[in-house]
Each structure stands twice: as structure tokens, then as C-alpha cells.
Amino acid sequence: MVDNTMDKRVIRTKRLIRNVFTELMEEKGFEGITVKELTTKADINRGTFYLHYKDKQDLLEQCEEQIINEINDILKIERQLNLEETLNYYSKYEPPPFVVKLFDYILENASFMKVMLGPNGDPSFQIRMKESLRKNMLVKIEEKFHKEQMMVPQECLLAYISSAYLGVIQYWLESGLKESPRDMALVLLKITFLGPLTVTGFPNTFKS
Amino acid sequence: MVDNTMDKRVIRTKRLIRNVFTELMEEKGFEGITVKELTTKADINRGTFYLHYKDKQDLLEQCEEQIINEINDILKIERQLNLEETLNYYSKYEPPPFVVKLFDYILENASFMKVMLGPNGDPSFQIRMKESLRKNMLVKIEEKFHKEQMMVPQECLLAYISSAYLGVIQYWLESGLKESPRDMALVLLKITFLGPLTVTGFPNTFKS
DNA sequence: ACAATTAATGAACACTCTGTTTATTAAGTG
DNA sequence: CACTTAATAAACAGAGTGTTCATTAATTGT
């Protein structure tokens, strides 16, 4: 537990640990990881691990903390974007830049994100991701609307959208990142604005 | 590992183990549970645990298997419901019965579901839930539409909707189950058919 | 370039939990 | 009531944990 982040040895060791940690999470999940195996695979002394982390839970939390902070930064920068501006982007078939940036960032950290949001991942990390998405929602509902004029409870809608967004991110990671960040941002924009039913192309007779 | 499910003692012991398991999952998560503590809290001999389960992983899987099977049964019974029929329900502001039944079942098993879908839960269980939802989707996209007429990749839309559904279920469990199963089913129906933007009540000028 | 600093190592420690086995006790069965 | 079998108690080796300490090696600032 030292915070001297300047020393080359510390940087090297921490990077080693984190890389092997990601691999092992993918392989056997957090439960299945032992500090012994982790350090053996990273080719460092087991005692060295405890110089930097309290235990493997602490390692997990430190990794997650960094990612969540960086994602919050991306979403925060352009927090001012309101619904009209977003609609304006949509009318030009152009996704808002901060959504593209989010997908760019996920792409850069794909291996970690894929593991943490996958079947061997950490559900509390998924919840924190949804929390970030909700606080910086594409459709900024809280500021714009009063609860009364909503057709469903506001909390339900926020849960719906933020979960849907995370789900699409999970699909993207799981299916091999074939679409571009820009395309993915457009997908979210389209489904959210047009609605799931409309994007299927089903002739929508009752809506008016 | 015995399958004599008739004996009163077996039923009692298994029920004890599962109840304490749910409590401990809530408290400290799967990682934090030890067979020792589990059996102490359940007031049974540690050896007895191994008479019924290979290890705690096996216990988790057996519990999940049962729930997933029962949910699949609920969703399968009415699998035949097609989009027109669902739209018909919607036009009468009445949710399809099988969606209400799903929420009824979740309510009955609320403590287990809340834990497994919460921050200390099992992400692979969440994935299996989404899988069940996708296979028996309210909007039965696969049968009804060709991929070409879709405005976004079909897989993305399926990920979007199934994740959104699960997210609303998670919200419902987390927020104390205040709404009725029928109300929750209606919420899903509304958001999915009208779209997230429309249900906010925002004047929708560009859609036509 | 060198002395000072400190990260990394290797070995050892007591401790906890695991999964299995054995003989014995107690409960449920027909 | 006799039979079957689930539950118990105690013991076991094995594996991983988190800590300590003396030693080695790498990095830093001057």
C-alpha cells in the first residue's frame, strides 16, 4: 500500500498485476482467482502483491474506480447538452460527440470492459456504469420534464433506458466490436428517439 | 449428492441451506461466503452440506437452475402470442397475461431474485435472464420481420429491449416492489411501443 | 557516477477454510 | 417395530491467506 506512483518498478508491477488480473477474471471469475496464482502468472513475488493491494478485493476496486472516473469525465464534459440539441443532432443523422467518445473509450479498454460487463464480471460495476449513464443521460429527462406529464414513473423510464444502453454496450463487447463507435452511438440514438417498435419497421397504425 | 427428495430431513436441510445462502449472498456476496459460516448459521453440520452439494458453486447453480426453468415455463406457455395480439392488448390498455405472470413469479421469489440481480448477485444469472426474455420477447421480432427492413441491427435491438426489461425488473426489486405486477407489465408495454422519448410527453415534431 | 532510497525477493509463520473419511446417533420409512 | 438412511462429531491433509524480516536489486536525485 504505497502511493509512490513515480517509480518505474511500481508502474511495471502494477501494470503486470492488472493485466494478469483481467486475464484471470475472464478465465475463472473473481471467485476463482487466488493471489498465489495471480502472482505466479505475473512472475512476481506474492509478497509484492501485498505491497500494493490490501487483498484481491482491493485490486478489483482500484481497477474499477479508475475506469468509472474516466467514464464520468467523458460524460461530464458535455453534460450541458440538452434535449433540443440532441434532437438537432438526430435530425442530421449525426450522433452527439460525447456518446461517440464513450464508445471510443470502451473500445480502448475493451478487454477489461468485456470481462467486467460479461458473465464473470462484477454486477456492482455494472450498476455503477448504469449510474453514470443515468446521471448523464442522452435524453436529459430530469431537467426537462415534470414527473406529472410522464406516461410512466420517471424512475422506471430511467432504469429502462440506462439498462438498455448498458445492454447494447455489453452486446457490442461480446459480439467482437464489429460496428464503429459512431454506428453504435447512432443505434442508441435511433432506438431511443423512434422507439423499439418503430425501428423494427412495423407499420405503426395506432401511434399519432 | 443424493436425489432422494422424498425424505423430510432432506427437504428441511436443503431449504435451510438455501435460505441462509440467500441471506449471506445479500450480506457479503458469493465470494465472501464460506461453507463453514453457511452451515454454522443454518445450524447444521458442515459435512451435511457436502451430502447435498459438491461445493458452494454447485449450490449456486442448483438454485439458479430452478428459477430459470420456472421462468422459462412461464414465458413458454404463451409463446404463441404474436405482435398483432400484443398490439391488441395494448390498445385495450391491458398487459399480456404472461408478462403479468412473470412479475407475479418474481414477486413470489423476491428475496432470491433481488439478491441475484443486485450488486452482490451473479452476472451469469442476469445473462440467463436476458436470454429467457429475448427468446420470449414481448415484441416477437424474429418471426415477424426480416433483417433488411430494420433500422438498426436486429441483434442490437434485441440486446436493447431485453436489457431494458431486466433493468426495469431490477429497479422494481431494488425500490421495494411498490408497483403491482400489472402496473409493471404496463410500463414495459408502454415504453416499448411508444418509445422512451414519447413517454416523457415531449412534443414529438419530427416523427411521422 | 555514486550514494541513498526504496521496491522486490525468498522464506517462514500461524491461521482459516476446504473437501473427505470414519464411526456413531437420530430421524423417517413402510 | 425393524430397517434404512440422513445427520452428526471429530479428525485429516492440503491449499491459500496475510504478515514479517532479512537480503538483494533497481531507481532516483545530486
Side-chain angles (χ1 to χ4, degrees):
Chain A
M1 300 302 296
V2 178
D3 48 57
N4 185 1
T5 47
M6 313 308 176
D7 199 308
K8 284 181 184 176
R9 291 167 293 181
V10 176
I11 293 166
R12 186 194 109 95
T13 303
K14 283 198 155 193
R15 196 187 53 232
L16 266 172
I17 290 174
R18 288 186 182 214
N19 289 345
V20 174
F21 178 60
T22 306
E23 285 175 40
L24 286 178
M25 279 290 289
E26 172 107 61
E27 261 181 61
K28 37 184 73 175
F30 187 68
E31 165 73 15
I33 294 178
T34 66
V35 175
K36 192 183 192 320
E37 186 184 5
L38 173 68
T39 51
T40 302
K41 203 171 175 190
D43 210 40
I44 59 168
N45 192 274
R46 194 165 64 87
T48 305
F49 176 90
Y50 293 103
L51 253 36
H52 301 289
Y53 304 101
K54 197 173 146 284
D55 50 27
K56 67 169 176 166
Q57 183 66 42
D58 183 43
L59 168 61
L60 175 70
E61 282 165 16
Q62 282 193 36
C63 294
E64 292 183 351
E65 193 64 20
Q66 189 200 322
I67 300 283
I68 291 291
N69 285 341
E70 288 170 5
I71 284 181
N72 277 335
D73 285 345
I74 290 171
L75 296 180
K76 235 173 245 174
I77 293 168
E78 320 244 5
R79 194 160 45 186
Q80 302 82 349
L81 200 66
N82 63 31
L83 182 51
E84 280 81 3
E85 291 172 311
T86 313
L87 277 170
N88 197 36
Y89 273 112
Y90 177 77
S91 67
K92 294 181 292 186
Y93 252 68
E94 199 62 41
F98 78 103
V99 184
V100 181
K101 277 180 197 157
L102 173 66
F103 280 101
D104 280 336
Y105 178 81
I106 293 166
L107 187 57
E108 278 168 33
N109 299 273
S111 60
F112 182 84
M113 295 301 288
K114 186 182 173 185
V115 172
M116 289 326 231
L117 300 179
N120 279 341
D122 177 7
S124 79
F125 181 73
Q126 301 187 16
I127 288 172
R128 292 175 77 188
M129 280 286 298
K130 283 200 269 186
E131 195 60 32
S132 297
L133 292 169
R134 178 157 53 232
K135 273 193 252 162
N136 305 280
M137 195 59 74
L138 181 59
V139 180
K140 302 209 73 52
I141 293 159
E142 279 128 319
E143 298 158 13
K144 201 64 206 174
F145 302 101
H146 298 91
K147 294 198 176 186
E148 299 81 44
Q149 55 188 123
M150 304 261 308
M151 298 170 71
V152 299
Q154 182 178 262
E155 304 303 322
C156 284
L157 180 62
L158 288 169
Y160 186 102
I161 303 179
S162 60
S163 300
Y165 280 23
L166 183 62
V168 170
I169 290 170
Q170 286 173 317
Y171 160 76
W172 188 50
L173 288 162
E174 211 54 51
S175 62
L177 304 159
K178 283 167 193 146
E179 298 84 1
S180 72
R182 188 179 172 280
D183 285 346
M184 291 310 292
L186 267 176
V187 163
L188 288 188
L189 202 63
K190 279 190 208 168
I191 308 182
T192 305
F193 278 12
L194 295 176
L197 182 65
T198 306
V199 296
T200 63
F202 184 81
N204 195 341
T205 51
F206 66 91
K207 201 185 287 182
S208 60
Chain B
M1 299 302 294
V2 178
D3 49 58
N4 185 1
T5 46
M6 314 308 175
D7 198 307
K8 284 182 184 177
R9 290 167 294 181
V10 176
I11 294 167
R12 185 194 110 95
T13 302
K14 284 198 155 193
R15 195 186 55 231
L16 265 171
I17 291 174
R18 288 186 182 214
N19 288 346
V20 174
F21 178 59
T22 305
E23 284 175 41
L24 286 178
M25 279 291 288
E26 171 107 60
E27 261 181 62
K28 38 185 73 175
F30 187 68
E31 164 74 14
I33 294 178
T34 66
V35 176
K36 191 185 193 318
E37 186 184 4
L38 173 67
T39 51
T40 302
K41 204 171 173 189
D43 210 40
I44 59 167
N45 192 274
R46 195 166 62 88
T48 305
F49 176 90
Y50 293 104
L51 252 38
H52 300 289
Y53 303 100
K54 197 173 146 284
D55 51 27
K56 68 169 175 166
Q57 184 66 40
D58 184 43
L59 169 60
L60 176 70
E61 282 165 16
Q62 282 194 35
C63 292
E64 291 182 352
E65 193 64 20
Q66 188 199 322
I67 300 284
I68 291 292
N69 285 340
E70 288 171 5
I71 284 181
N72 277 334
D73 284 346
I74 290 171
L75 296 180
K76 235 172 245 173
I77 292 170
E78 322 242 6
R79 194 160 46 185
Q80 302 82 350
L81 200 67
N82 63 31
L83 183 51
E84 280 82 2
E85 292 171 311
T86 313
L87 277 170
N88 197 37
Y89 273 112
Y90 177 77
S91 67
K92 293 182 293 185
Y93 253 68
E94 199 62 41
F98 78 104
V99 184
V100 181
K101 276 180 199 159
L102 173 64
F103 280 101
D104 280 335
Y105 178 80
I106 293 166
L107 187 56
E108 277 167 34
N109 297 273
S111 59
F112 182 84
M113 296 300 289
K114 186 182 171 184
V115 171
M116 289 327 235
L117 299 180
N120 279 341
D122 177 7
S124 79
F125 180 73
Q126 301 187 17
I127 289 171
R128 293 174 77 188
M129 280 286 299
K130 283 200 268 185
E131 195 59 33
S132 296
L133 292 169
R134 179 158 52 230
K135 273 192 254 163
N136 306 279
M137 196 59 74
L138 180 59
V139 180
K140 302 208 72 52
I141 293 159
E142 279 128 319
E143 298 159 14
K144 200 65 205 175
F145 301 101
H146 297 90
K147 292 198 177 188
E148 301 79 44
Q149 55 188 123
M150 304 261 308
M151 299 170 70
V152 299
Q154 183 177 260
E155 304 303 322
C156 285
L157 180 61
L158 288 169
Y160 186 102
I161 303 179
S162 59
S163 299
Y165 281 23
L166 183 62
V168 171
I169 291 169
Q170 287 172 316
Y171 160 76
W172 187 51
L173 287 162
E174 212 53 51
S175 61
L177 303 161
K178 284 168 192 145
E179 298 85 1
S180 72
R182 188 179 173 279
D183 285 345
M184 291 309 291
L186 267 175
V187 164
L188 288 188
L189 200 65
K190 280 190 209 170
I191 308 181
T192 305
F193 277 12
L194 296 175
L197 182 65
T198 306
V199 296
T200 62
F202 184 82
N204 196 341
T205 52
F206 67 91
K207 202 184 286 182
S208 60

